[in-house]
Every structure is written in C-alpha cells, then in structure tokens.
Amino acid sequence: MAKQMDLLRDRPSSLYFRYLVPSVSASLVTSIYILADTIMIGRGCGAEALAALNLVLPVFAVLFASGTLFGVGGGVLYSVARGNGDDERAQGIWSTAVLMVVGVALLLMLTGALAFRPLCYALGADESNIQMVMDYAQFIVYGAPFFVLSYFLQAFVRNDQDPKRAMAGVLSGAAVNIILDYVFIFPMQLGLTGGAAATLLGNIVTVLVVLTHLRSPRNRLYFSRKSIRLRLAGEIFLSGAPSFFIEAASGLITFTFNRQLLRYLGHAGVVAYGVVANYALVMQSLFNGVGQAAQPVMATNYGAGQRPRVHRVRLMGLVTVVILACVAVLCAYTFPEMMTALFVEPTEELLALSVPALHTYFPAFLPFGLNLFLTTYLQSIVRAAPALAIMVLRGVILPVLFAIVLPGLFGGFAIFAAVLCAEGITSLLSIGLSVYHARHGG
C-alpha cells in the first residue's frame, strides 16, 4: 500500500512533485476533450466546421468555470479546514458545495435549452453556419451537468488527497473521447454531431470514475444535509470567484475575439484564431495543473500556520510555469506551420494569418502563467479579494478593452496582441499583491 501523504510534515518538494504529475495530467487531458474535436473536425469536416466549433468554445468555458467556482472555491476552504483539524467545518463545506453545484448545473442546462437557437446566434453564428453550430452545441447544452461536475469533482478529490484518481478519471474520459471522435467523424461520417457526442460521453466517463473515490477507504467527503450552511455558500462563492474568472475569461475573450475577427478579417480570421485559441487552451490547462498541484499543499500548510513551507511551494510553482511558457514560445517560433497544419489544411491564406498570429500571441504565456499561479497562491492563503481583482482585470476589463481598441487603431491583425498587453499589465499587479501578502501573513 502506498504511503499516505502528510501535507504538514513531508518535504514540500516531495509533496509538490507527487501532486504535479497527476494534476497537470488531469488538467491537460481535460483540454483534450476539446482538442480532439478540433483536430478531427478540422481534418474531417473542413475549415468552416472548425470555425463553427470555435464559436461554441465560450459555452465550454462557462461550464468549466462553474465547476471550478464550487470545486476550487470549496476545495481551498476544505483543505484549510482539514489543516486546522476542523472536520465538522470541512464536512459542511463539501455538503454545501454539492448542493450549489448541482443547482447551478441544472439551471445552466435549462437556460441553454430554452434559449438554444438565440444562444447560437448570440455566439456569432449566421445563416451560413447556424446548422453546424447547433449540431455541435446541442450536446454541450444538454450535457451541461456532466461538464460542470467533471471539474467540480476533480478539484474536491484532489483536495481529499487522491490526485491519482482524479487523473485516472480524466485519462479514462479522454481515451473514450478520442476513440469515439475518430469512429464518429471518419468511419460513421457524423461530422460535428459525432464530435460533440464523443466529447459528452468522455466527460460522463470521467465523472463516473472520479465518483469511485466516494467508496474508497481514504474518502473523507461525506454529504450531510444538516451540515449545509448559507454562510458557507457565501464563503465558497467568494473563494472560488477568482478561479471562475480564470475559466470564464477564456470564454469571454474567445467570444469578443470572434466578433471582432468576423468584423475585420472574416471567417479566415476566426479559423486562424481557432488555432491560436486551442493552443492557449492547452497552456491554460498546464498552468492550471501547476496551480492545482500546489494549492492543496499551500492551503493546508497555511491553515496550520506553516508559512515557510507555503513559500517554498510557491517558488517551485513559479519556476514551473516560467519553464512551460518559455518552451511554448520556442515552439511557436520554430514550428508555426506544423502547429497550424495539426488542426486544419494549411492554405496560403490561412498561413499568412496563423504564423504571425502565433508569433504575436505566444509571448503572452509568460505573464499569463504568472498571473494564474499567483492567483492560486492568493486563494490558498485565503486572500480572495485581491485574487478576484486580478482575474477581473485580466479576464474581463483589459482583454476586452484591447480587443476593441487595438484593431481600430492598428488594423484587424492587432487583435492578436490584445492578450499580451492585458496579461503584461496585470502581471505587475499580481506580483505586487503577492509580495505584499507574503510579507504580511501569507
């Protein structure tokens, strides 16, 4: 039997790396649910279908953001309560979070179903591609509870010291997704409908596998209606709000970019951005995985008053995201044509947009990674307000502002520099806030 981890006594470096591989793998493989669709739809259905898929990406962002809101928000408080030895509070946090996430997941599904066609038009569909958008979006809207629960359960199971089971869940779901993507899109010729069905079935498998933790000997997640508290709901919401903005921001940025690109560069611009956005999804997954690896260790040690251990894990996380960002930038400048060809047939028109887009966008991953990890650090030391401020600035205010202003000043292509400008400015704030709180009790 594997030795049970002791988050308060084992070496911080040992704990961090024991969490890192499962957390990064689980987070990265989650993005495969979308990436597998993108690659196979782009190759099997063409550029127009890829553009339609990109219009639906904001819906994924909202669903994953909702799961993260309650999963990370509740998970952080759960770990702090365990670190304090307050098992009764930990049970209340889990029970309250379960009630909240189920209610929100059902609400999202019903809202999307009742306003389905207007929703597809609002995402940017027009008469030329409305049917393709609806073919894909129907599975995502009606399967909303599984997408929300997938992120929620992964976060809580990791915080209950079972990161390998969370990894096993997403690996199993990814395997199902990829296999069915190929079968549905190529031999069965189901097109966008087949890709969406495969994605939904993969998430269902993930949820079922992760739920087995509740029957395992190491499980400490016990639901009790008597433990549900309105006060805890408010704490969970505030704690998880920064993580919600991390995920939702990508959807808002994609939505804004799609509208602006259609205006300035047409469908070719949306396809080029679809290539860039999918790589951004991979990098966000990697950065989230690093944060998820560090978060249970930092939160538990913060709850126990072990500040030096928190700072050591924070440093390891920062070094990791910097290395990942540098590797990504190197790839973008070395293999841009190959990176485009992975998703869609690389015509001269498309390469003329995608190659400079990759060169312009990818340097943003350095401040992007720093902002995401430092937000996780602030959440882990229960500094939700500054973490939320960072996420609102980088996820709502600045990228939308630059996406609107830059094309008007410098032409449509300048939109690909919007994220770099937004993340770069925000990183100054996130570094300053992290240093301040590290010196004043964090």
Side-chain angles (χ1 to χ4, degrees), residues 164-219:
K164 291 184 178 179
R165 194 179 302 268
M167 179 180 69
V170 290
L171 287 174
S172 302
V176 169
N177 183 27
I178 293 171
I179 293 169
L180 292 181
D181 256 327
Y182 176 80
V183 172
F184 290 165
I185 293 174
F186 292 100
M188 296 181 67
Q189 295 288 302
L190 295 178
L192 282 165
T193 301
T199 300
L200 174 57
L201 291 171
N203 266 273
I204 291 173
V205 170
T206 295
V207 170
L208 294 176
V209 171
V210 176
L211 278 173
T212 63
H213 172 77
L214 302 182
R215 303 299 299 271
S216 71
R218 65 175 61 186
N219 173 52

Side-chain angles (χ1 to χ4, degrees), residues 106-119 138 141-142:
L106 293 175
L107 179 63
L108 289 171
M109 180 186 69
L110 291 173
T111 302
L114 292 173
F116 182 62
R117 192 178 185 89
L119 170 65
Q138 62 183 332
V141 168
Y142 289 103

Side-chain angles (χ1 to χ4, degrees), residues 266-280:
H267 284 280
V270 175
V271 175
Y273 180 64
V275 173
V276 173
N278 277 282
Y279 285 114

Side-chain angles (χ1 to χ4, degrees), residues 36-55 129 132-133 136 185-186 189-192 267-268 270-272 274-275 278 340-347 350:
D37 286 346
T38 305
I39 293 170
M40 295 193 193
I41 286 172
R43 283 294 180 177
C45 307
E48 287 298 318
L50 181 59
L53 168 61
N54 197 54
L55 295 178
N129 62 8
M132 287 191 290
V133 172
Y136 193 89
I185 293 174
F186 292 100
Q189 295 288 302
L190 295 178
L192 282 165
H267 284 280
V270 175
V271 175
V275 173
N278 277 282
T340 301
L342 179 63
F343 291 99
V344 68
E345 185 66 29
T347 63
L350 179 57

Side-chain angles (χ1 to χ4, degrees), residues 344-363:
V344 68
E345 185 66 29
T347 63
E348 288 188 14
E349 179 190 14
L350 179 57
L351 289 175
L353 286 172
S354 66
V355 171
L358 290 166
H359 290 169
T360 303
Y361 194 105
F362 268 51

Side-chain angles (χ1 to χ4, degrees), residues 194-275:
T199 300
L200 174 57
L201 291 171
N203 266 273
I204 291 173
V205 170
T206 295
V207 170
L208 294 176
V209 171
V210 176
L211 278 173
T212 63
H213 172 77
L214 302 182
R215 303 299 299 271
S216 71
R218 65 175 61 186
N219 173 52
R220 297 178 296 173
L221 300 172
Y222 299 106
F223 182 83
S224 172
R225 286 182 297 175
K226 295 180 180 179
S227 299
I228 297 172
R229 297 287 183 273
L230 182 61
R231 175 179 53 81
L232 290 177
E235 292 183 37
I236 291 168
F237 190 88
L238 182 60
S239 175
S243 292
F244 175 86
F245 274 103
I246 289 175
E247 296 293 337
S250 66
L252 177 62
I253 292 170
T254 300
F255 175 77
T256 305
F257 276 36
N258 284 340
R259 306 291 293 196
Q260 289 291 87
L261 287 165
L262 286 170
R263 177 184 176 186
Y264 286 99
L265 300 176
H267 284 280
V270 175
V271 175
Y273 180 64
V275 173

Side-chain angles (χ1 to χ4, degrees), residues 354-411:
S354 66
V355 171
L358 290 166
H359 290 169
T360 303
Y361 194 105
F362 268 51
F365 289 141
L366 181 56
F368 181 19
L370 292 175
N371 290 333
L372 292 193
F373 184 81
L374 291 175
T375 298
T376 300
Y377 162 69
L378 290 169
Q379 286 180 280
S380 299
I381 61 172
V382 199
R383 300 296 192 276
L388 180 59
I390 292 170
M391 287 301 101
V392 171
L393 190 64
R394 67 162 290 274
V396 179
I397 299 174
L398 291 182
V400 171
L401 176 65
F402 284 121
I404 294 171
V405 171
L406 290 181
L409 294 176
F410 305 106

